[in-house]
Amino acid sequence: MQLGFKIKHHFFNAFRELFVHHHGSLEFRAKIFALIISVNEHINEDIFTIVKDISLNIYDGNDDRANLLMMSTKELVQKVTDDNGLDVDSLIISIQKELKIVPRYAKKIDIKALTPLVNLTRDPDTLAYQKNILEFLQKTKDDILAVTKL
């Protein structure tokens, strides 16, 4: 990753809401990725490479935006794994609250795009947990879209 991007990211991190277009949407996506990733005990850089690839597809090749999503996801995963006041349950509650406030975010839940993150998991218990999370996300998405008719 470029040094210039890292410096820009740290600056933007402090003032993200002011400088990043559609900050809320990006943060919501980062929470979704972090939810799937953080339940895995064996997190490596391959996972974040996949996040970057998915992000490039989401943002039509916009490398800066994809890097921001990847870095935001890394930060959230780090907070969960460091037991830094954030855990899986908190992420789920936060996602549910955001969906109540901004129902159109439900369209940003793409189970097919999240599947490669699950496919890296080798532990059967973790894999089952991740699949349950995917089912929960799909059900939540379906419920929100059915009620709001977006």
Side-chain angles (χ1 to χ4, degrees):
M1 204 172 327
Q2 300 170 348
L3 177 62
F5 174 78
K6 286 184 180 182
I7 293 169
K8 186 168 61 170
H9 172 73
H10 289 293
F11 178 75
F12 280 147
N13 194 32
F15 302 102
R16 199 177 317 200
E17 292 181 38
L18 297 173
F19 293 115
V20 178
H21 185 62
H22 296 292
H23 165 265
S25 171
L26 187 138
E27 285 295 315
F28 180 80
R29 282 188 164 119
K31 287 177 185 177
I32 297 292
F33 285 128
L35 178 61
I36 297 295
I37 294 167
S38 61
V39 298
N40 191 343
E41 293 177 8
H42 305 288
I43 300 169
N44 57 41
E45 281 303 310
D46 292 342
I47 291 172
F48 296 107
T49 301
I50 290 173
V51 170
K52 172 99 184 268
D53 292 341
I54 295 167
S55 301
L56 284 168
N57 286 333
I58 291 170
Y59 296 122
D60 296 323
N62 183 332
D63 199 48
D64 283 344
R65 195 109 173 119
N67 279 328
L68 279 171
L69 180 53
M70 183 191 61
M71 295 297 282
S72 296
T73 302
K74 269 187 178 181
E75 288 172 10
L76 288 169
V77 169
Q78 191 66 45
K79 284 182 181 179
V80 172
T81 57
D82 287 349
D83 194 22
N84 198 11
L86 186 65
D87 59 16
V88 172
D89 292 335
S90 300
L91 276 174
I92 290 170
I93 291 167
S94 178
I95 289 166
Q96 288 174 319
K97 283 182 183 177
E98 284 190 52
L99 285 170
K100 285 181 183 175
I101 295 168
V102 189
R104 73 177 182 275
Y105 283 177
K107 291 181 179 179
K108 298 182 185 313
I109 299 172
D110 184 354
I111 302 303
K112 193 182 289 186
L114 295 170
T115 302
L117 296 171
V118 175
N119 291 340
L120 288 177
T121 304
R122 298 293 167 237
D123 178 59
D125 293 333
T126 303
L127 185 61
Y129 192 17
Q130 287 176 318
K131 287 182 178 181
N132 286 339
I133 290 171
L134 289 178
E135 287 175 22
F136 161 77
L137 290 171
Q138 185 63 53
K139 182 180 180 335
T140 302
K141 175 183 179 175
D142 293 344
D143 291 348
I144 295 286
L145 292 177
V147 170
T148 59
K149 308 231 190 263
L150 291 175

